[in-house]
Amino acid sequence: ETLYAATGAGLYRSTDDGASWSLVPALGEKRIGAVDFTPSAVWADVWGIGPYRSEDGVTGWELDDAGLTSRNILRLVPDPWDPERLFAATQNGGVFVQAEP
């Protein structure tokens, strides 16, 4: 039921299969480059800053950029063999790997 949309005007969330959308206020109207999920968190990249992580997808967003090689992420992808790991493809050609606690 819950969907997320990464846009140049912020991260939007729908809890009714896309019938209506609302801005996720905790991230404001920042340019969101990518969004994806792992079993325990929602990840959203704020363009030029880095990936933010939230356990509930609404509040409590924290920047989680340890080891990040570029501030411009093109794609976030959970590891298909270990869903607690997240890969981030960066604009400079690097790949960032984040293992969740």
Side-chain angles (χ1 to χ4, degrees), residues 1 4 7 20 25 32 35 39-41 45-46 48 52 55 60 64 70 77 82 88 94 98 100:
E1 294 179 4
Y4 289 87
T7 75
S20 62
I32 306 298
V35 63
S40 58
D45 170 56
V46 175
Y52 280 76
E55 292 182 10
D64 194 347
S70 172
V77 179
D82 181 358
Q98 177 64 40
E100 293 190 27

mmCIF file of all heavy atoms in Angstrom, residues 1 4 7 20 25 32 35 39-41 45-46 48 52 55 60 64 70 77 82 88 94 98 100:
data_model
loop_
_atom_site.group_PDB
_atom_site.id
_atom_site.type_symbol
_atom_site.label_atom_id
_atom_site.label_comp_id
_atom_site.label_asym_id
_atom_site.label_seq_id
_atom_site.Cartn_x
_atom_site.Cartn_y
_atom_site.Cartn_z
ATOM 1 N N GLU A 1 0.798 -1.203 0.000
ATOM 2 C CA GLU A 1 0.000 0.000 0.000
ATOM 3 C C GLU A 1 0.839 1.266 0.000
ATOM 4 O O GLU A 1 0.420 2.269 -0.538
ATOM 5 C CB GLU A 1 -0.915 0.039 1.220
ATOM 6 C CG GLU A 1 -1.974 -1.009 1.233
ATOM 7 C CD GLU A 1 -2.842 -0.933 2.484
ATOM 8 O OE1 GLU A 1 -2.648 -0.015 3.291
ATOM 9 O OE2 GLU A 1 -3.692 -1.802 2.622
ATOM 10 N N TYR A 4 6.635 5.383 -2.457
ATOM 11 C CA TYR A 4 7.439 6.595 -2.349
ATOM 12 C C TYR A 4 7.821 7.050 -3.748
ATOM 13 O O TYR A 4 8.044 6.222 -4.626
ATOM 14 C CB TYR A 4 8.709 6.342 -1.537
ATOM 15 C CG TYR A 4 8.451 6.139 -0.069
ATOM 16 C CD1 TYR A 4 8.163 4.879 0.425
ATOM 17 C CD2 TYR A 4 8.469 7.207 0.818
ATOM 18 C CE1 TYR A 4 7.904 4.681 1.771
ATOM 19 C CE2 TYR A 4 8.219 7.016 2.161
ATOM 20 C CZ TYR A 4 7.932 5.751 2.632
ATOM 21 O OH TYR A 4 7.674 5.566 3.968
ATOM 22 N N THR A 7 11.494 13.010 -6.174
ATOM 23 C CA THR A 7 11.295 14.075 -7.146
ATOM 24 C C THR A 7 12.278 15.206 -6.891
ATOM 25 O O THR A 7 12.922 15.262 -5.848
ATOM 26 C CB THR A 7 9.862 14.655 -7.089
ATOM 27 O OG1 THR A 7 9.744 15.488 -5.927
ATOM 28 C CG2 THR A 7 8.805 13.567 -7.047
ATOM 29 N N SER A 20 -3.454 9.100 -3.514
ATOM 30 C CA SER A 20 -3.110 10.450 -3.068
ATOM 31 C C SER A 20 -1.668 10.443 -2.560
ATOM 32 O O SER A 20 -1.149 9.409 -2.140
ATOM 33 C CB SER A 20 -4.060 10.925 -1.958
ATOM 34 O OG SER A 20 -3.949 10.082 -0.825
ATOM 35 N N PRO A 25 7.512 15.636 5.227
ATOM 36 C CA PRO A 25 7.984 16.925 5.730
ATOM 37 C C PRO A 25 9.374 16.901 6.366
ATOM 38 O O PRO A 25 10.073 17.904 6.336
ATOM 39 C CB PRO A 25 6.918 17.329 6.746
ATOM 40 C CG PRO A 25 6.215 16.083 7.106
ATOM 41 C CD PRO A 25 6.335 15.159 5.936
ATOM 42 N N ILE A 32 15.352 14.975 -4.351
ATOM 43 C CA ILE A 32 15.595 13.586 -3.982
ATOM 44 C C ILE A 32 15.995 12.829 -5.244
ATOM 45 O O ILE A 32 15.245 12.774 -6.213
ATOM 46 C CB ILE A 32 14.340 12.943 -3.350
ATOM 47 C CG1 ILE A 32 13.828 13.768 -2.166
ATOM 48 C CG2 ILE A 32 14.622 11.496 -2.940
ATOM 49 C CD1 ILE A 32 14.796 13.897 -1.007
ATOM 50 N N VAL A 35 15.271 6.648 -4.138
ATOM 51 C CA VAL A 35 14.655 6.110 -2.920
ATOM 52 C C VAL A 35 14.565 4.603 -3.079
ATOM 53 O O VAL A 35 14.342 4.089 -4.181
ATOM 54 C CB VAL A 35 13.261 6.738 -2.648
ATOM 55 C CG1 VAL A 35 12.285 6.414 -3.749
ATOM 56 C CG2 VAL A 35 12.711 6.326 -1.299
ATOM 57 N N PRO A 39 14.528 -4.288 4.515
ATOM 58 C CA PRO A 39 13.467 -4.727 5.434
ATOM 59 C C PRO A 39 13.284 -3.830 6.660
ATOM 60 O O PRO A 39 12.182 -3.730 7.184
ATOM 61 C CB PRO A 39 13.918 -6.126 5.846
ATOM 62 C CG PRO A 39 14.708 -6.607 4.687
ATOM 63 C CD PRO A 39 15.426 -5.383 4.168
ATOM 64 N N SER A 40 14.334 -3.163 7.079
ATOM 65 C CA SER A 40 14.218 -2.371 8.303
ATOM 66 C C SER A 40 14.231 -0.856 8.099
ATOM 67 O O SER A 40 14.122 -0.113 9.071
ATOM 68 C CB SER A 40 15.335 -2.759 9.270
ATOM 69 O OG SER A 40 16.596 -2.558 8.674
ATOM 70 N N ALA A 41 14.342 -0.376 6.838
ATOM 71 C CA ALA A 41 14.436 1.080 6.665
ATOM 72 C C ALA A 41 14.051 1.516 5.258
ATOM 73 O O ALA A 41 14.077 0.730 4.312
ATOM 74 C CB ALA A 41 15.860 1.554 6.964
ATOM 75 N N ASP A 45 18.015 9.493 -1.071
ATOM 76 C CA ASP A 45 19.203 10.303 -1.336
ATOM 77 C C ASP A 45 18.798 11.750 -1.571
ATOM 78 O O ASP A 45 18.010 12.036 -2.468
ATOM 79 C CB ASP A 45 19.938 9.786 -2.565
ATOM 80 C CG ASP A 45 21.027 10.768 -2.987
ATOM 81 O OD1 ASP A 45 21.880 11.080 -2.148
ATOM 82 O OD2 ASP A 45 20.965 11.247 -4.126
ATOM 83 N N VAL A 46 19.338 12.645 -0.743
ATOM 84 C CA VAL A 46 19.170 14.079 -0.978
ATOM 85 C C VAL A 46 20.336 14.494 -1.851
ATOM 86 O O VAL A 46 21.502 14.399 -1.446
ATOM 87 C CB VAL A 46 19.132 14.878 0.336
ATOM 88 C CG1 VAL A 46 19.077 16.370 0.051
ATOM 89 C CG2 VAL A 46 17.943 14.442 1.183
ATOM 90 N N GLY A 48 23.334 15.832 -3.671
ATOM 91 C CA GLY A 48 24.418 16.702 -3.238
ATOM 92 C C GLY A 48 24.752 16.593 -1.763
ATOM 93 O O GLY A 48 25.724 17.177 -1.304
ATOM 94 N N TYR A 52 19.838 9.438 3.290
ATOM 95 C CA TYR A 52 19.194 9.519 4.594
ATOM 96 C C TYR A 52 18.443 8.220 4.820
ATOM 97 O O TYR A 52 17.913 7.620 3.899
ATOM 98 C CB TYR A 52 18.210 10.692 4.647
ATOM 99 C CG TYR A 52 18.881 12.019 4.878
ATOM 100 C CD1 TYR A 52 19.570 12.659 3.867
ATOM 101 C CD2 TYR A 52 18.822 12.621 6.125
ATOM 102 C CE1 TYR A 52 20.189 13.873 4.083
ATOM 103 C CE2 TYR A 52 19.430 13.846 6.359
ATOM 104 C CZ TYR A 52 20.109 14.464 5.326
ATOM 105 O OH TYR A 52 20.719 15.667 5.551
ATOM 106 N N GLU A 55 13.597 4.562 9.826
ATOM 107 C CA GLU A 55 12.975 3.277 10.131
ATOM 108 C C GLU A 55 11.474 3.286 9.893
ATOM 109 O O GLU A 55 10.885 2.239 9.671
ATOM 110 C CB GLU A 55 13.297 2.863 11.561
ATOM 111 C CG GLU A 55 14.771 2.532 11.730
ATOM 112 C CD GLU A 55 15.133 2.079 13.117
ATOM 113 O OE1 GLU A 55 14.224 1.836 13.937
ATOM 114 O OE2 GLU A 55 16.341 1.970 13.383
ATOM 115 N N GLY A 60 12.299 10.958 11.735
ATOM 116 C CA GLY A 60 13.532 10.338 12.194
ATOM 117 C C GLY A 60 14.559 10.071 11.111
ATOM 118 O O GLY A 60 15.314 9.123 11.202
ATOM 119 N N ASP A 64 23.231 9.032 6.637
ATOM 120 C CA ASP A 64 24.037 7.831 6.851
ATOM 121 C C ASP A 64 25.003 7.706 5.681
ATOM 122 O O ASP A 64 24.752 6.985 4.725
ATOM 123 C CB ASP A 64 23.128 6.605 6.942
ATOM 124 C CG ASP A 64 23.855 5.390 7.497
ATOM 125 O OD1 ASP A 64 25.100 5.413 7.578
ATOM 126 O OD2 ASP A 64 23.181 4.407 7.822
ATOM 127 N N SER A 70 30.879 9.897 -3.118
ATOM 128 C CA SER A 70 30.321 11.000 -3.898
ATOM 129 C C SER A 70 29.018 11.432 -3.251
ATOM 130 O O SER A 70 28.301 10.614 -2.693
ATOM 131 C CB SER A 70 30.053 10.556 -5.341
ATOM 132 O OG SER A 70 29.344 11.551 -6.050
ATOM 133 N N VAL A 77 20.099 0.449 -4.276
ATOM 134 C CA VAL A 77 19.622 -0.912 -4.530
ATOM 135 C C VAL A 77 19.956 -1.806 -3.336
ATOM 136 O O VAL A 77 21.133 -1.928 -2.973
ATOM 137 C CB VAL A 77 20.288 -1.521 -5.794
ATOM 138 C CG1 VAL A 77 19.796 -2.944 -6.028
ATOM 139 C CG2 VAL A 77 20.037 -0.652 -7.002
ATOM 140 N N ASP A 82 21.474 -10.259 0.607
ATOM 141 C CA ASP A 82 21.518 -9.801 1.998
ATOM 142 C C ASP A 82 20.720 -8.509 2.080
ATOM 143 O O ASP A 82 21.256 -7.419 1.874
ATOM 144 C CB ASP A 82 22.960 -9.565 2.444
ATOM 145 C CG ASP A 82 23.056 -9.110 3.894
ATOM 146 O OD1 ASP A 82 22.008 -8.935 4.547
ATOM 147 O OD2 ASP A 82 24.182 -8.913 4.367
ATOM 148 N N ALA A 88 24.808 1.866 -3.346
ATOM 149 C CA ALA A 88 24.496 3.162 -3.939
ATOM 150 C C ALA A 88 25.478 3.410 -5.074
ATOM 151 O O ALA A 88 26.685 3.457 -4.858
ATOM 152 C CB ALA A 88 24.605 4.272 -2.904
ATOM 153 N N GLY A 94 31.694 5.377 -8.514
ATOM 154 C CA GLY A 94 31.925 4.534 -7.350
ATOM 155 C C GLY A 94 30.659 3.842 -6.891
ATOM 156 O O GLY A 94 29.551 4.188 -7.277
ATOM 157 N N GLN A 98 26.469 0.004 2.261
ATOM 158 C CA GLN A 98 26.126 0.296 3.638
ATOM 159 C C GLN A 98 25.443 -0.932 4.223
ATOM 160 O O GLN A 98 24.442 -1.392 3.697
ATOM 161 C CB GLN A 98 25.178 1.496 3.731
ATOM 162 C CG GLN A 98 24.726 1.819 5.136
ATOM 163 C CD GLN A 98 25.868 2.249 6.027
ATOM 164 O OE1 GLN A 98 26.764 2.970 5.619
ATOM 165 N NE2 GLN A 98 25.861 1.792 7.249
ATOM 166 N N GLU A 100 23.357 -2.397 7.312
ATOM 167 C CA GLU A 100 22.538 -1.885 8.404
ATOM 168 C C GLU A 100 22.907 -2.579 9.705
ATOM 169 O O GLU A 100 23.325 -3.723 9.695
ATOM 170 C CB GLU A 100 21.056 -2.086 8.090
ATOM 171 C CG GLU A 100 20.628 -1.232 6.927
ATOM 172 C CD GLU A 100 19.135 -1.219 6.749
ATOM 173 O OE1 GLU A 100 18.410 -1.414 7.740
ATOM 174 O OE2 GLU A 100 18.698 -1.007 5.630
#
